[in-house]
Structures are given as structure tokens and as C-alpha cells.
Amino acid sequence: MMYHKRDVSLSEDDLRTGKVAVSRLTVSLMVLSINLLESMKVKNMTAQLDTFADDFRRLIQFLTQQMVL
């Protein structure tokens, strides 16, 4: 189930890197992102990610509220 979410919401299959450490870090950040979005109980993770990408202050506010930062 997590793989499906990483692939559908974060386009994991399109990501290519030749370095194992970069791949592991990227997957870890994807899992963290998905877990945080699930804690928000969002219906559309991709739309929420787009919202955060468009409004960085909103992302920082969310991360602060979730005590991530």
C-alpha cells in the first residue's frame, strides 16, 4: 500500500538516481511526507502536495503545528 501511495502521489517510478544513498534518503522523505499527510486525513494527497508547493509558508506552518520543525 505504501509503495502505491509513493508511486501515485509522488511519482516514485519516474525518479532516477545512480546513488544508493540518494535513493534511500528520497524514499525516507517520501514515507515521512505520506505519513504526515495521512495524519492530516487529506482526501487527495497529490492536491495537498501541490498546495504546499505553491504556498511554502503554509507548508512551514503545517510542519510547525505537527511539531516536525
Side-chain angles (χ1 to χ4, degrees):
M1 180 118 164
M2 180 63 75
Y3 173 78
H4 176 75
K5 289 178 183 178
R6 286 192 333 240
D7 187 37
V8 172
S9 297
L10 301 171
S11 303
E12 181 182 41
D13 286 346
D14 294 336
L15 180 65
R16 300 284 182 243
T17 179
K19 300 194 184 251
V20 174
V22 172
S23 294
R24 287 183 182 158
L25 176 62
T26 303
V27 169
S28 295
L29 291 171
M30 287 180 175
V31 170
L32 174 64
S33 300
I34 289 170
N35 286 337
L36 287 170
L37 290 170
E38 285 180 343
S39 76
M40 291 176 64
K41 298 180 182 2
V42 297
K43 293 180 182 178
N44 187 331
M45 286 188 183
T46 304
Q48 186 62 55
L49 288 168
D50 286 343
T51 299
F52 285 152
D54 293 339
D55 188 352
F56 188 71
R57 286 180 290 168
R58 192 170 183 182
L59 171 62
I60 296 301
Q61 180 183 21
F62 165 72
L63 293 174
T64 302
Q65 288 173 345
Q66 296 297 314
M67 292 190 260
V68 175
L69 293 180

